[in-house]
Amino acid sequence: FWLHIGGENLCVAAYTRDSVKFAMTAGSRLNETLAESHCKVARWRQENNRASQLELRRCIHSLKQERAELDNLRLSATDAQRQVKDMEATRTLRYKLGEAVGLSASIAARQAETALSAKVKLCEGREAFEQELQHDEEVLATRQCSAQAMACGMERFLGLYRERLGFAISRTAPQTIRMVFTLLDYNDPSREFHLMLRLTSPEGYHVLDCSPPVPQLASLLGNLNDNAEAPSALPTFVCRIRQAFKQHETHGARLLSCRAHDGGNVSVPQ
């Protein structure tokens, strides 16, 4: 007959009934043992799969952590490179700033030296200017004293001329003077012979009025303008115009004397 043991069909010869029972009992136990073994193996496989999944999860988590750490390291390396570049740029900038500061200090030193030199020169120029100004003030004071003395001398001189020669001079307008001569007429010493003279640049001197008129006036005025720069030109002109007035008066007195002597019929040539 056939026995079914452990899922297999076995051909068994005829035995006794007890042997069959024993065999069936043993087969049943064997089946139970095999079923239990199968259950244990299935549990082991499940537990093993579960442990493997847990280990796999741990490995995946560890890999993720390592990847994150690697990304962090990469970012750190990038940051480090950036910091190195920034440090190099900062070092370069510091070097350039140092050069700029040194150049600025050198320029400032040169400017300070130039300013000091200019200050010294200005002080020296100021001292020289003050000395020159003081000298000019002293010269001006001396000239003012001389001018005052000269004015006093001229006043005394003109007073002497007025008293002894009958000459007076006065200003009638800007650049215009009036010369008055007296003591020329023997019969009338107070009689005035006058001349009004104006200085007009660049033409020179110009006679506005002459009383009495004298024939030498044009010649005398021409000599005055020709030598206008000479200090003695105007005094010479004054002396000669006085002589001309004197000659005019002498000639007129002689003419009157001849007329009075001859009854007014004789004419004297001029």
Side-chain angles (χ1 to χ4, degrees):
F1 57 91
W2 296 86
L3 292 176
H4 183 75
I5 300 173
E8 296 180 359
N9 295 321
L10 299 176
C11 181
V12 182
Y15 293 96
T16 62
R17 183 177 293 177
D18 295 333
S19 298
V20 172
K21 288 180 179 179
F22 176 77
M24 290 178 67
T25 303
S28 177
R29 291 179 178 176
L30 181 62
N31 288 331
E32 292 176 357
T33 302
L34 290 174
E36 185 178 356
S37 298
H38 280 295
C39 290
K40 289 181 178 179
V41 169
R43 284 195 301 272
W44 178 81
R45 285 180 179 175
Q46 290 177 357
E47 292 176 355
N48 192 18
N49 289 332
R50 191 177 295 110
S52 298
Q53 289 177 359
L54 292 174
E55 185 66 22
L56 180 62
R57 290 176 182 175
R58 283 195 297 270
C59 291
I60 292 172
H61 181 69
S62 178
L63 288 174
K64 287 182 179 180
Q65 288 182 346
E66 290 178 355
R67 184 174 181 178
E69 291 177 357
L70 183 62
D71 292 337
N72 292 330
L73 289 174
R74 188 180 296 111
L75 292 175
S76 299
T78 304
D79 292 338
Q81 291 179 354
R82 187 181 299 108
Q83 290 178 358
V84 169
K85 290 181 180 179
D86 293 340
M87 290 177 64
E88 291 178 352
T90 303
R91 190 180 299 111
T92 303
L93 182 60
R94 281 183 183 175
Y95 178 75
K96 291 182 178 180
L97 286 175
E99 290 183 346
V101 169
L103 182 60
S104 298
S106 177
I107 293 174
R110 287 198 298 269
Q111 289 179 349
E113 184 179 357
T114 303
L116 181 60
S117 177
K119 181 179 179 181
V120 172
K121 290 182 179 179
L122 286 174
C123 291
E124 293 177 352
R126 179 181 178 182
E127 291 178 358
F129 177 75
E130 289 179 352
Q131 292 177 359
E132 184 178 358
L133 180 61
Q134 184 178 1
H135 178 265
D136 291 342
E137 289 177 351
E138 292 176 355
V139 172
L140 180 60
T142 303
R143 289 182 178 178
Q144 286 179 349
C145 292
S146 299
Q148 290 177 358
M150 185 179 295
C152 293
M154 287 293 294
E155 186 65 27
R156 289 194 299 270
F157 180 74
L158 292 176
L160 182 63
Y161 262 65
R162 282 194 299 269
E163 294 174 0
R164 299 188 179 182
L165 299 179
F167 174 69
I169 184 171
S170 61
R171 181 183 177 187
T172 59
Q175 303 293 326
T176 304
I177 58 174
R178 184 173 185 269
M179 302 179 188
V180 178
F181 299 90
T182 58
L183 304 180
L184 295 179
D185 189 349
Y186 181 79
N187 296 320
D188 186 7
S190 62
R191 178 187 173 189
E192 292 185 354
F193 298 75
H194 67 268
L195 175 74
M196 192 173 293
L197 186 66
R198 173 181 289 178
L199 175 61
T200 57
S201 299
E203 291 82 3
Y205 290 97
H206 178 66
V207 175
L208 301 179
D209 184 25
C210 181
S211 177
V214 292
Q216 301 94 327
L217 180 59
S219 176
L220 295 176
L221 186 61
N223 292 332
L224 175 61
N225 288 323
D226 292 340
N227 302 285
E229 299 297 330
S232 60
L234 188 58
T236 302
F237 173 78
V238 172
C239 293
R240 290 182 178 176
I241 198 67
R242 186 178 186 280
Q243 291 177 359
F245 282 143
K246 183 66 176 176
Q247 291 176 3
H248 180 276
E249 171 57 26
T250 303
H251 183 271
R254 186 181 303 168
L255 181 60
L256 291 175
S257 177
C258 291
R259 287 180 177 178
H261 184 271
D262 296 335
N265 294 324
V266 179
S267 62
V268 179
Q270 298 181 358

